[in-house]
Amino acid sequence: MTTERHHFENFDDSFSCPNCDAALPHDEFPQTCEECSFLVEVFLTREDALAAIADLSQDKDAIATEQPNHVYGLGWVIGHTRLMLF
């Protein structure tokens, strides 16, 4: 299943990472949080965000936010990363 990402007109520079609440200063997504290194993505629908979380849950090395967060004027936000085992 392909999820649909979108562009937003109402980016607010006070928006924060769904994992660690650090500020995300960039107006383009996906972007990587400078504090926790989670990749932050925004989806047009809740269903697309949930599908992305479900896909990530199939990867044993991935960590994702449990639920998407709705940010008014932006969309459905998730954060995820992959474990870096050495």
Side-chain angles (χ1 to χ4, degrees):
M1 177 178 189
T2 304
T3 55
E4 182 180 340
R5 292 182 181 89
H6 71 106
H7 301 285
F8 356 82
E9 300 84 32
N10 299 319
F11 177 76
D12 179 349
D13 63 1
S14 66
F15 176 65
S16 61
C17 174
N19 180 57
C20 72
D21 293 328
L24 295 173
H26 307 295
D27 62 356
E28 293 183 10
F29 290 87
Q31 65 174 285
T32 302
C33 175
E34 294 175 357
E35 294 296 318
C36 70
S37 299
F38 267 54
L39 183 64
V40 179
E41 295 187 77
V42 178
F43 297 86
L44 183 58
T45 68
R46 184 174 189 272
E47 292 74 22
D48 285 344
L50 288 171
I53 291 170
D55 286 346
L56 289 163
S57 71
Q58 300 300 312
D59 182 347
K60 64 181 173 91
D61 293 330
I63 300 170
T65 51
E66 291 183 18
Q67 292 293 318
N69 296 314
H70 185 257
V71 177
Y72 180 76
L74 189 62
W76 291 91
V77 180
I78 69 168
H80 60 91
T81 191
R82 289 184 53 81
L83 296 172
M84 302 297 256
L85 302 174
F86 297 98

